[in-house]
Amino acid sequence: MDLPIRVLCVMSTLGRGGAETMVMNLFRNIDRDSVVFDFVKHSHGKDAYEDEITALGGKIYEAPRYKVYNHLSYKKWWKRFFSEHPEYKIIHGHYFNFSSVYFKIAKKFNRITVGHSHSTEIPKEAVTNKIINKVTCYYISKIEKHSDYCLACSSKAGSWMFPNKKYDLLKNAIAVDKFRYERDVATQVREEFKLEDSFVVGTVSRFNIEKNPWGLLDIFYRIHAKSPESKMLWVGEGPYKEEIISKAKEYGIYDSILFLGERSDVNRLLQCMDVFLLPSFYEGLPVVLVEAQAAGVCCCCSDAVTAEADVTSLCHFLPLEDYDKWVDVITALKPGYEHQDTYEQIKSAGYEITSTAEWLKDFYLKIISENSL
């Protein structure tokens, strides 16, 4: 076996989304003398993680986005790619909607396919288009058939995508020390954003349908009505950002929300939050929820988020149909609390990145050996 093994990670984008952040956590910490990640992305333009990937020794390729009508040309792209790149023995599919399309081709080229479930539903954008919805559901139903090995971020995500097949849990681990609460850092961030006397709620989530940005805005509107000194930090980008900004102005709370875009210092920003919000319609197991708990922040998330995400007892799971209950729980935290040091809890729950990266390295070496490649 020649080392390092070059694993091809197939992604939607290389921006700062949950799955992308999880993969980058692994790439930073895996033994790169044994395993190196290269990437196929389906986005145009330069994404946030590309410079770091190159610095870590990874290569990046750009595939066309699958749009149903380009089915034949999409398959042609992958056939050409596998013909030109025999060095990739393991194809790790994180772009799951249509991974069965390129997995089927990969298997014809004698490659090992690893299906990875990061979610518990198809994207809401697909649901709004009947044709796309039907096609997406079909291809997702075929993923387990074309996956030689299956991984999932949670048991809920695993049973959704692999109902009839064995899967291993690969937890969305983080560098816990990086997020550990430090009072001095919290003070610095509050001073930087002029939040010294504010009740600070925050989120790190894309402006996509599944993240429920409209609900998030509605929740903060109600919080602000009760506590006018409250402020919100909103980290993220996405297709509905301008719509949310427009509604924030309409509600009269725009000046109380800091729209910070994509950030590389989420670990610092979490330190100054009093409450972290995540009213998603669904999640696999959100990396950022583990990060928030590592910073000792109380978290209010929808009851659609898997209970496995609560590794510290800091999470409150609340119903999406009752935003008033959210406000009651959140404002009850307003008098303040001492941020906990949750390092040992998160580590013992298996969310410390070093051991997870070691497990994944051994997993790749094992499946190469099992397939005599």
Side-chain angles (χ1 to χ4, degrees), residues 98-371:
F98 303 104
S99 58
S100 59
V101 177
Y102 58 83
F103 275 3
K104 188 175 181 179
I105 299 168
K107 290 171 72 68
K108 289 181 178 179
F109 282 84
N110 198 32
R111 310 304 166 88
I112 303 168
T113 55
V114 180
H116 198 141
S117 180
H118 295 278
S119 188
T120 58
E121 291 187 26
I122 67 171
K124 291 291 183 183
E125 281 83 355
V127 174
T128 61
N129 183 307
K130 290 184 179 179
I131 296 176
I132 296 295
N133 178 45
K134 188 174 182 178
V135 172
T136 302
C137 288
Y138 172 78
Y139 282 124
I140 288 177
S141 72
K142 299 296 182 183
I143 291 175
E144 66 176 0
K145 175 182 177 181
H146 297 296
S147 297
D148 295 317
Y149 299 87
C150 304
L151 300 175
C153 63
S154 68
S155 57
K156 190 175 180 181
S159 60
W160 173 67
M161 188 172 287
F162 311 115
N164 304 302
K165 206 165 187 175
K166 176 184 176 295
Y167 60 86
D168 288 304
L169 285 179
L170 182 67
K171 294 183 176 180
N172 288 347
I174 64 171
V176 186
D177 273 335
K178 181 180 176 181
F179 292 87
R180 210 166 187 171
Y181 178 70
E182 297 181 48
R183 185 186 297 274
D184 290 345
V185 174
T187 300
Q188 290 169 10
V189 177
R190 281 180 170 262
E191 290 175 351
E192 179 182 341
F193 291 104
K194 298 181 172 55
L195 301 169
E196 292 92 335
D197 300 317
S198 300
F199 177 59
V200 181
V201 300
T203 192
V204 181
S205 62
R206 287 179 287 189
F207 291 80
N208 288 353
I209 293 177
E210 62 265 27
K211 299 297 183 179
N212 190 19
W214 303 275
L216 187 55
L217 187 67
D218 194 11
I219 291 167
F220 180 66
Y221 173 74
R222 297 172 189 224
I223 293 170
H224 193 267
K226 282 193 171 184
S227 305
E229 80 285 2
S230 59
K231 302 283 186 181
M232 182 175 180
L233 299 184
W234 198 325
V235 180
E237 293 288 349
Y240 296 98
K241 182 177 181 179
E242 292 306 315
E243 180 180 330
I244 295 298
I245 289 175
S246 178
K247 285 188 176 295
K249 292 176 179 177
E250 179 185 330
Y251 293 170
I253 56 174
Y254 174 75
D255 291 337
S256 297
I257 304 177
L258 284 76
F259 293 98
L260 300 180
E262 285 193 346
R263 301 278 298 208
S264 60
D265 60 345
V266 169
N267 58 315
R268 291 182 67 249
L269 299 175
L270 288 169
Q271 306 282 316
C272 82
M273 295 180 188
D274 294 305
V275 183
F276 183 83
L277 304 181
L278 199 68
S280 303
F281 289 121
Y282 62 88
E283 294 276 358
L285 193 148
V287 178
V288 71
L289 202 54
V290 180
E291 294 173 344
Q293 291 174 83
V297 184
C298 285
C299 303
C300 291
C301 50
S302 74
D303 54 13
V305 176
T306 175
E308 291 174 68
D310 185 18
V311 296
T312 63
S313 300
L314 285 173
C315 293
H316 301 268
F317 296 93
L318 300 166
L320 286 172
E321 63 272 12
D322 188 357
Y323 288 152
D324 287 334
K325 185 170 184 178
W326 284 67
V327 176
D328 290 343
V329 171
I330 293 164
T331 54
L333 297 167
K334 183 184 170 186
Y337 57 89
E338 188 66 29
H339 286 231
Q340 300 178 25
D341 184 341
T342 58
Y343 178 84
E344 290 301 331
Q345 289 173 277
I346 292 175
K347 184 177 179 181
S348 64
Y351 285 90
E352 210 292 317
I353 190 62
T354 305
S355 56
T356 302
E358 182 71 14
W359 183 92
L360 186 62
K361 180 202 74 173
D362 292 342
F363 169 79
Y364 287 141
L365 295 175
K366 175 175 72 79
I367 64 177
I368 286 283
S369 177
E370 287 176 351
N371 290 271

